[in-house]
C-alpha cells in the first residue's frame, strides 16, 4: 500500500509488542514479519541509507551479548518514528489495566534496543516515563522498565545521562516516591561500561554523599536504592573506586545509621567489606585510611547535634566498626 508510510507509528507497536508475546507461535511469526518489514524498507530506501549499509555489521561498543542486533531497516524504522512512539508509551504505561502496562513496559525495552544511541534525543521524556513507571505496584512493569533503563546506560554516553539524572537525584520531583531517581540511576549505571564510567566516578560519588541525598530520607526503600547505586559503582568499577573510597564509605555508614531494617544494614556492611576488598584492604584498614577525614566530616556540624541528628548515629556506626582505630587516631 502506497500510504503505509503514514501509519508506521501505528504498525510498529503492533508488531513489536507481539515479539514478546506469551504464545511462542505468535512471537516467531511477529519476529519474522518484523524482519521482512525491515528488509523491504531497506530495499525501498537504499539510496538514503547507503552510508549506513557500510557499517551494517559494526554494533556499538558494549552491545548486549545476550540479544541479536536487529537489522538496519528495523532499526531505522524505529529511529524515524520514536518521537511519535514515546508519548504513546508515556500514556499507556500508566493505563488502569495491568496487562496494558506490562506490555507497554516490554515494548519500551524493544524500542530502545532498536534506537541504540538515538535514544539520546529522547532522553528527557524517557526518564520521565521510567520514573513514573517505577512507582507501579506491578513488579513486572518495574522490572521491564529497569531493563529499559539498563539499555540507556549501554547506548547513551555518561556525560549526557548524568547531567539530567543527578539533578533528579538531588531534587526528586515526587515527595511520595523520592527513591525512583536512584532506582533508575542504578539501572542506567549497570548498563554502562567501566571505561566510560571511570571519568565520572567522582561526580556520582560526590552527589550520593550530599546530605540532601544520603541523609534526607529514612524510608527503607530509599536507602535500598541508595545502596544499589553504591553497589553498582563497586561492581562496575571495582579497584577504580579507590579514588572515591571516602565518599562511598560515608554513604554506607549513613545507610547503616538510618536503616531500621537489619537485613539492609547487613547488606550495607557487606558493601563496606567489598569496598575494602577491591582496594586490597580489610575493613579495619579501610577505616584506618579514612578515620581522620570521617571525624572531620562529623565534627563540622557537632555544635548543632541533637538526639535526633543522623551524625550521632553515624558516629555510633564508625565507633562500632573501626575497632581500636578510633582511639589510636585520637591519641
Amino acid at each position: 500500500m502506497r500510504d503505509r508510510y503514514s501509519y508506521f507509528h501505528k504498525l510498529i507497536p503492533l508488531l513489536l509488542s507481539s515479539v514478546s508475546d506469551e504464545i511462542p507461535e505468535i512471537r516467531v511469526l511477529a519476529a519474522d514479519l518484523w524482519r521482512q518489514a525491515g528488509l523491504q524498507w531497506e530495499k525501498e530506501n537504499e539510496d538514503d541509507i547507503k552510508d549506513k549499509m557500510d557499517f551494517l555489521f559494526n554494533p556499538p561498543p558494549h552491545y548486549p551479548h545476550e540479544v541479536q542486533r536487529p537489522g538496519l531497516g528495523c532499526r531505522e524504522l524505529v529511529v524515524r518514528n520514536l518521537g511519535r512512539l514515546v508519548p504513546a508509551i508515556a500514556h499507556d504505561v500508566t493505563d488502569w489495566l495491568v496487562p496494558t502496562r506490562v506490555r507497554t513496559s516490554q515494548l519500551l525495552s524493544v524500542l530502545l534496543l532498536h534506537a541504540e544511541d538515538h535514544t539520546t534525543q529522547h532522553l528527557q521524556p524517557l526518564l520521565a516515563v521510567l520514573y513514573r513507571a517505577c512507582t507501579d505496584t506491578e513488579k513486572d512493569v518495574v522490572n521491564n522498565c529497569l531493563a529499559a533503563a539498563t539499555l540507556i546506560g549501554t547506548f547513551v554516553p555518561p556525560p549526557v545521562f548524568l547531567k539530567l539524572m543527578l539533578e533528579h537525584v538531588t531534587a526528586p520531583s515526587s515527595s511520595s516516591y523520592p527513591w525512583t531517581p536512584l532506582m533508575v540511576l542504578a539501572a542506567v549505571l549497570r548498563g554502562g561500561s567501566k571505561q566510560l564510567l571511570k571519568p565520572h566516578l567522582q561526580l556520582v560519588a560526590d552527589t550520593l554523599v550530599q546530605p540532601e541525598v544520603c541523609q534526607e530520607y529514612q524510608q527503607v526503600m530509599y536507602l535500598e536504592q541508595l545502596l544499589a547505586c553504591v553497589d553498582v559503582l563497586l561492581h562496575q568499577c571495582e579497584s577504580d573506586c579507590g579514588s572515591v573510597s571516602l565518599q562511598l564509605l560515608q554513604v554506607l555508614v549513613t545507610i547503616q545509621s538510618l536503616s531500621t531494617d537489619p537485613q539492609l544494614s547487613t547488606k550495607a556492611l557487606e558493601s563496606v567489606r567489598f569496598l575494602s576488598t577491591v582496594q586490597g584492604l580489610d575493613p579495619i584498614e579501610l577505616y584506618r585510611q579514612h578515620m581522620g577525614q570521617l571525624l572531620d566530616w562529623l565534627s563540622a556540624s557537632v555544635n548543632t547535634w541533637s538526639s535526633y541528628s543522623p551524625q550521632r548515629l553515624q558516629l555510633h556506626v564508625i565507633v562500632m566498626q573501626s575497632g581500636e582505630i578510633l582511639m589510636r587516631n585520637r591519641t
Side-chain angles (χ1 to χ4, degrees), residues 290-301:
H290 296 303
M291 184 55 70
Q293 296 161 304
L294 289 172
L295 293 178
D296 291 340
W297 172 52
L298 294 178
S299 62
S301 60

Side-chain angles (χ1 to χ4, degrees), residues 209-235:
V209 81
Q210 290 182 25
E212 61 266 32
V213 175
C214 71
Q215 297 181 20
E216 185 73 18
Y217 303 97
Q218 298 185 24
Q219 300 104 311
V220 171
M221 187 66 173
Y222 184 92
L223 296 175
E224 283 179 346
Q225 301 312 316
L226 184 60
L227 178 59
C229 289
V230 174
D231 282 344
V232 168
L233 292 179
L234 289 174
H235 287 86

